[in-house]
Amino acid sequence: MNTIVVNEKPASGRRRPPKTPKGRQVDPRALDEVRALLGERSRQRDLLIEHLHLIQDHYGYLSAAHLAALAQEMKLALTEVYEVATFYAHFDVVKDGPPPPRVTVRVCESLSCAMAGAEKLLAELPAELGPGVRVLRAPCMGACDHAPACAVGHVQVMQATTDKVADAVKAGTHAHAWHTQKDFTAYQTEGGYALLRDCLEGRRTRDDIIKSVSDAGLRGLGGAGFPTGRKWSLVRAEPAPRLMAVNGDEGEVGTFKDRFYLERDPHRFIEGMLIAAWVVEAREAYFYLRDEYPEVRLMLLEELAKAEQAGLTRFTKVHMRRGAGSYICGEESAMIESIEGKRGLPRHRPPYVAQVGLFGRPTLEQNVETLFWVRDIVEKGAAWFTSHGRHDRKGLRSFSVSGRVREPGVKLAPAGITVRELIDEYCGGMAPGHTFKGYLPGGASGGILPASMGDLPLDFGTLEKYGCFVGSHAVVILSDQDDMKAVALNLMKFFEDESCGQCTPCRLGTEKAAKLMASGPWNEGLLNELSDAMRDASICGLGQAAPNPLVSVFKYFREELAKPLKLW
């Protein structure tokens, strides 16, 4: 009879040590390669995403060997590195299989691009480009006014066709710095940075700056619309040291205004950022820019270096941080987590970011466009800003307009303008052959309104009673050639893909809703029940706002419910 010995121990009574250490072992060659890439860069924890970008940019993907080496070099658990690398859409993690194809083409499938023919591109490109190129679906790239948009590696192709994309693949996949229309020298020639110098040299007081932006009614223009002066006062009241975080992660479907201003007049934004940091006495500012804008990032690094060399950042040091493809990081607390080198999971509140934000310190969080207006408001006076407006609203608003209009783009218009006025006066009317049918007043989150409600003022607080809001002022125009059920389905799929997965109502609710919407006649009772669960129980605005387009179809486009789904 054979005897089975379990947990055999040596004579001393101690368990024998394992023959090899637990877990994936570090490959010495991979460790040397990671060390060579990092060079003299700091190994601090919050730079994890930046270091992952270094490896991916160099090799085209993230191998298991390189991730293990990076974990050892940064003194992190391998699970921490893996969970971050696999959270973000732009990182290609390869555990043991072959690396991805040498070139990746991402085709935007979000609403404006879907309306402009994204599905046709997705169908044609694989055969056109061949087996050496991978073609993937991607969410909004911030190029809705040039739809359809594609990204070939790090290079965006606007108004893409199969031929244009093929040419871009042949030309190469690495972005080059955008040459802005107004660089550091041109901006200074026009009086730029005079206000910042006045602040740094004591000719302006912090209270004066706060009063100017408060009197002008400047609000957060990233979507929430919180009064800027009040936010600055709240952050200043918190104990030092205080920090600043700038949100350049405009991932809302239909939004591209921040990109527009950064490309054309970056130093007006930079000066506003440095003034705001000075007001709240933030010695460090972190600028988080979405990865879909690689050329803008390279340009900003050049222009920030010029400002630093001129001594303009002596009060506040600016750190550029690069996103990695995650819409949820536009939510302020998720962005904070990402800047710290973690997954972009929204935090529970309270405490709020102004109290406990970046690295646990009180943090001023602002949108790019909000800071862009600071210099003009202070120099020209609050009365200049408030002199604009229509329908009892005051101020200026930047609308990202795309869809079925003749002239899409960023339109600087009076606050309170109606969508009809916006189409007729700023967009050259509807596109030829299209009749105005409906519109998204505030991107994917803001719901859908019919053309019969096209005379409502577009501003904060004017649309909420109709179940909609202006948010980031991303206006997508829909026509008689668009199926509203298809529009709502496209937006729900976007939310399904972009849910961070932290909370069950959002993670499963968006998935279930998308399946029900795509599979046949809409079950109104079940879809409304799902919508209520997402709105009531989701942690952040993504899950809470995801049902808005769906509910809008029930409310304003009931005549389309009985029709078969018609995709583009």
Side-chain angles (χ1 to χ4, degrees), residues 155-214:
V155 179
Q156 284 195 359
V157 181
M158 311 292 190
Q159 295 174 323
T161 63
T162 52
D163 290 341
K164 278 187 177 181
V165 175
D167 290 343
V169 169
K170 293 175 186 176
T173 61
H174 295 288
H176 302 282
W178 174 276
H179 295 293
T180 177
Q181 296 177 7
K182 192 176 293 185
D183 63 8
F184 180 73
T185 301
Y187 182 72
Q188 282 214 124
T189 301
E190 296 180 359
Y193 290 114
L195 177 59
L196 175 62
R197 287 191 171 94
D198 285 347
C199 293
L200 296 178
E201 293 167 16
R203 292 188 289 271
R204 297 271 189 168
T205 69
R206 291 176 169 86
D207 289 338
D208 288 342
I209 303 294
I210 290 177
K211 186 177 187 305
S212 292
V213 298
S214 297

Side-chain angles (χ1 to χ4, degrees), residues 390-437:
R390 293 185 187 178
H391 307 293
D392 299 321
R393 314 301 292 185
K394 293 181 179 180
L396 290 167
R397 299 288 183 265
S398 301
F399 294 90
S400 305
V401 186
S402 62
R404 309 299 193 182
V405 290
R406 191 184 297 269
E407 300 168 8
V410 173
K411 312 297 179 179
L412 182 61
I417 192 173
T418 71
V419 74
R420 288 190 193 278
E421 293 168 339
L422 194 62
I423 293 170
D424 294 340
E425 298 176 32
Y426 289 83
C427 301
M430 295 291 293
H434 291 267
T435 301
F436 182 35
K437 179 180 179 180

